Amino acid sequence: MNNNPQHPHVFTTALFGKPNAGKSTLFNALTGKHQTIGNWPGVTIEKKEGTFTYQDTVYKVTDLPGIIQLEPQSDDERIALKYLIEDKPDLIVAVLDASNMQRCLYLTLQLLELKKPTLIALNMMDIAKRNHLHIDLCALEKTLGCPVVPLSGLEQPSAFRLKQAIAKALENPPIPNFFLSYPPAVEKQLAHLDPDRAAALLRLTTMDLDEKDQKEVLKETGHSAATLIAQCRYDFINTLVAKVVTQKEKPKTDWSDKIDNIVLNRYLSVPIFFGIMYLLFTVVQTIGSNFVDFFDATAGIIFVEYPAHLFDMTGVPGWLKNFLVYGIGSGIQAICGFVPVVFLMFFCLGILEQSGYLARSAFVMDRLLQMLGLPGKSFIPLILGFGCTTTAVMATRGLSRWTDKLLTAYMAPLMSCSARMPVYAVFCAAFFGAKSGLIIFSLYVLGIVLAILTGLLFGKTVFRSAQSAFLMELPRYHWPKLSMVLQQAVRRLHGFFWKAGRILVMVMAVIGTLNTLTPQFKVTQRESESILSHIGRGITPVFSSFGVEKDNWPASVALVIGLFAKESVVSSMGSLYLQDQQLDEEAGVNEFSWSAPWLDAFTDLREGLIAVFTGASEEIDTPLAVALREKFTQGPWQVYAYLVFVLLYVPCVGAMAATIHEIGLSASILLIVYLLAGPWAIATLFYQLAVAHQLGFILAAAATLLGIALALHLLAKWSEQQGGVNPWVKS
């Protein structure tokens, strides 16, 4: 196929399809490990590209976001249309769900009318067969005027057949022999707009037109051109499906429908959702925490103990050793301890996602939100908030109404993102033992409940509006393919730590510098004498109301550092708590051993995994866990109050930058104030009622919450007096 073997042409193929048509499954089957994941320029939507080789020819594949139609109303649709116009792939592969062709064909017709080389991948043929559907492939291919290849996305032969079909199509690019006639008024307008019919259709249906152009068809027919075109396409689709699809016998209720009868039951759906989430967090914490010691010991040897031993042998100055080893090195050691828990979290979420249940959780919570008068469609971005607040906020641009977007952006930071999970994991493993899963689950539930209350509070005051409808199509259940789940979990873990690691190294460098200098700018090896300790003691009274004691100032510093990245709350604590301890240990004979820490870690891992299956459980004994128990002296409720504040307070600077970009500076400032005052009051109330019982703090916290509600009420009243135009919420 390549005329010049020294400079072979790399053929480009683009996968188009609606959500849940199996497009990404086919992409993974085609490209395997040869994938790159990034973001489309200007947005946080994931960009997937990969390659495969067939008969010594390299093919590049792009997996476009799942869309319903080529109308640029959302970022996904804008990306797809822009890619078609600007990147001009050599071949379009339109992925259809064979078991539900009627809902997939609209996008396919739009692609065919572009008159670009197109191949139709008729996916999920196995499900169509199971539903007793017979599809006349020859009639379908003849009517649509392009080749059709039948596939079952989860079967390995399908990947080979699709590769073969792509290679064959690119040998002689198939321009679709498809023509759909529209009413005379529309045809006249198409001829007027552009001699190229495909360009005219795009302009008439997807781009802004002059008011004169819009009115001509409307005046002649009583309908807009877009409406008439859509009606013609749907009429054609109905006729086509009736022609090529035959129902052999009445399908039995399959196991997917039977499961939905239970998990989507009006009364059982919400308890089942919370039960599954509880099980997820219990598995993550119970199993993942047993690997923490091993990863901690490994990182400790590589980044702390061996470098310290090496520096002692080479006579490196103590201040430099303190900065590099006990500043940056200890921070890296702390974050490496997150690996097993974060990986297991991504792995379990991947199973729920591939099985089809995660989409149903959005449907379940939509029903609950609608009952409370909140926008149900906002739960899709909120689900993304469990991964990353930044992604959740950016996803609000898919919401059509401004008030829905504002409410969702205000609720998203309260959904516990994956960056908070390491903080919960380390604290819970150190203090709660067998109850860790329950404690983490309670924090996630608390975040959901407070997100809903936030939506109610702002929805009834400054962001008041009518409800909006929420439509979504539920995918069928599938047995998750573990290799794909594993691959996705590793990719997400890499992205998580690549993003977090770069921030943490910079943060640890700053901490190391501030922790090696006194206020007089003299070098010290004692954290208690450093600039950082003076800063920490200065801000600790602000957090003392929910249990941060005066000598536990590193916990205060960690909260401030957490504004850069929530993961750094624990890593900074690891750096600060352990520095003096490590210096004290070095006062004796410093004997370095490669094997001893690993042997201890393997022993702890074996005993921990045995404990999982015997029901026994014990707290982990990493140096950081021991230091935490020494600093948080008033027990588990003190720790829980601290974690409540970590859950609720202002998200990282990246998330806030995205929020300012999406909803404007004024509304973002209001949100920041809310996420500082509200979490302080809630954490204070919990700690004071559970532990300290100091009336002054209880009254101050209650007054803060009442003040927030009163301020929003007055702001809403003032907005009404301004004719409903509120400068706080207008972009």
Side-chain angles (χ1 to χ4, degrees), residues 247-265:
Q247 184 79 59
K248 289 183 176 180
E249 59 182 89
K250 188 176 180 180
K252 299 177 181 178
T253 302
D254 65 6
W255 62 282
S256 185
D257 294 329
K258 292 177 181 177
I259 294 174
D260 276 343
N261 289 338
I262 299 172
V263 301
L264 299 183
N265 178 276

Side-chain angles (χ1 to χ4, degrees), residues 98-407:
S99 66
N100 198 359
M101 273 209 316
Q102 199 156 3
R103 295 191 180 182
C104 300
L105 278 167
Y106 193 91
L107 173 63
T108 304
L109 296 189
Q110 288 183 298
L111 294 171
L112 294 176
E113 288 184 307
L114 296 179
K115 297 301 180 181
K116 296 178 180 292
T118 303
L119 168 71
I120 293 179
L122 194 58
N123 197 25
M124 301 188 186
M125 288 293 290
D126 52 335
I127 298 175
K129 184 178 179 181
R130 197 159 58 238
N131 292 343
H132 308 291
L133 295 174
H134 171 72
I135 300 174
D136 188 339
L137 297 177
C138 292
L140 181 64
E141 190 170 280
K142 183 178 179 181
T143 306
L144 296 182
C146 70
V148 177
V149 54
L151 304 168
S152 297
L154 293 176
E155 296 178 1
Q156 190 59 36
S158 290
F160 178 77
R161 284 203 305 273
L162 184 55
K163 290 178 182 179
Q164 195 176 39
I166 289 173
K168 183 179 178 181
L170 285 168
E171 286 180 357
N172 184 21
I175 303 298
N177 181 25
F178 174 79
F179 182 85
L180 185 58
S181 179
Y182 296 105
V186 175
E187 292 290 349
K188 179 181 175 182
Q189 190 71 8
L190 289 173
H192 166 71
L193 287 174
D194 199 309
D196 183 347
R197 183 181 178 84
L201 275 168
L202 274 179
R203 188 176 173 195
L204 195 57
T205 58
T206 67
M207 301 177 185
D208 293 332
L209 295 174
D210 294 335
E211 188 175 352
K212 179 182 176 182
D213 292 326
Q214 293 173 345
K215 285 184 176 180
E216 283 186 10
V217 176
L218 187 63
K219 181 180 179 181
E220 187 171 339
T221 65
H223 300 283
S224 68
T227 300
L228 293 171
I229 290 173
Q231 185 61 55
C232 286
R233 287 171 177 166
Y234 282 120
D235 289 342
F236 176 83
I237 289 169
N238 292 334
T239 304
L240 174 63
V241 171
K243 176 183 176 182
V244 303
V245 180
T246 306
Q247 184 79 59
K248 289 183 176 180
E249 59 182 89
K250 188 176 180 180
K252 299 177 181 178
T253 302
D254 65 6
W255 62 282
S256 185
D257 294 329
K258 292 177 181 177
I259 294 174
D260 276 343
N261 289 338
I262 299 172
V263 301
L264 299 183
N265 178 276
R266 179 179 297 274
Y267 304 104
L268 297 177
S269 57
V270 173
I272 288 174
F273 167 73
F274 284 111
I276 289 174
M277 298 307 290
Y278 170 67
L279 180 63
L280 183 149
F281 297 130
T282 300
V283 168
V284 168
Q285 185 62 20
T286 303
I287 297 178
S289 63
N290 286 296
F291 289 86
V292 170
D293 283 352
F294 175 75
F295 279 81
D296 182 82
T298 302
I301 292 172
I302 296 172
F303 297 109
V304 178
E305 295 173 21
Y306 180 69
H309 175 70
L310 190 63
F311 287 169
D312 286 342
M313 293 177 60
T314 55
V316 169
W319 66 268
L320 182 59
K321 172 187 167 185
N322 184 31
F323 170 71
L324 295 176
V325 176
Y326 304 130
I328 296 177
S330 293
I332 295 174
Q333 178 185 4
I335 195 174
C336 286
F338 306 162
V339 170
V341 175
V342 173
F343 170 78
L344 202 55
M345 178 76 168
F346 285 142
F347 184 81
C348 291
L349 284 175
I351 289 176
L352 292 181
E353 183 178 355
Q354 285 207 14
S355 69
Y357 181 75
L358 204 60
R360 283 160 173 81
S361 69
F363 178 80
V364 169
M365 295 307 294
D366 162 65
R367 183 183 296 169
L368 178 61
L369 292 175
Q370 291 282 7
M371 288 170 55
L372 295 170
L374 298 175
K377 63 174 67 176
S378 68
F379 197 70
I380 295 294
L382 295 182
I383 279 286
L384 297 176
F386 284 128
C388 176
T389 303
T390 303
T391 304
V393 171
M394 297 295 281
T396 61
R397 62 181 56 173
L399 302 177
S400 56
R401 297 196 312 169
W402 178 246
T403 49
D404 288 352
K405 183 173 183 173
L406 285 166
L407 280 175

